[in-house]
Amino acid sequence: MGSLSIWHWLIVLIVVVLVFGTGKLRNLGKDLGSAVKGFKEGMQEAGLNDGTPAQQKTAEPAQVTQADNTLEGQAREAAAPSEKS
C-alpha cells in the first residue's frame, strides 16, 4: 500500500481533466502563475524601498530616551458609584 506508481497518477490526472475540463484547468494555471509573479514582484519592491533586500531586514529594538517619555493623558481615580435608593 506504500507509494503510488506513475499509473496511479495518470489515472488521477485523467479523472481531474474529465471532471474540470481543460479550459478551467488552463485558467487556473494562469491565475496561479500571475499570483506567484505578483508575489515575487511585491517581495522585490519591498526590498528596494529601503535599499536592503527583504530577506535581510531585522527589527531593531526601540531605544527609549528621556525625551520619548511623554504622557498623552493622566490617570485619575474612579469616582465612587452613587447609591440610589
Side-chain angles (χ1 to χ4, degrees):
M1 180 144 154
S3 65
L4 299 175
S5 68
I6 188 70
W7 298 111
H8 292 106
W9 289 113
L10 285 175
I11 292 171
V12 169
L13 179 65
I14 291 171
V15 169
V16 168
V17 168
L18 289 175
V19 169
F20 293 108
T22 57
K24 284 188 180 181
L25 292 176
R26 188 179 312 123
N27 290 338
L28 179 68
K30 286 180 184 177
D31 291 342
L32 183 63
S34 64
V36 169
K37 183 179 178 182
F39 178 77
K40 285 182 180 180
E41 288 174 356
M43 292 299 292
Q44 288 176 351
E45 287 176 7
L48 296 177
N49 286 340
D50 61 356
T52 59
Q55 293 85 6
Q56 295 180 358
K57 288 185 180 181
T58 58
E60 296 180 13
Q63 296 179 355
V64 178
T65 61
Q66 189 65 19
D68 289 338
N69 292 334
T70 58
L71 293 176
E72 294 181 14
Q74 293 181 346
R76 293 188 227 164
E77 289 186 31
S82 60
E83 293 183 24
K84 295 183 181 179
S85 25

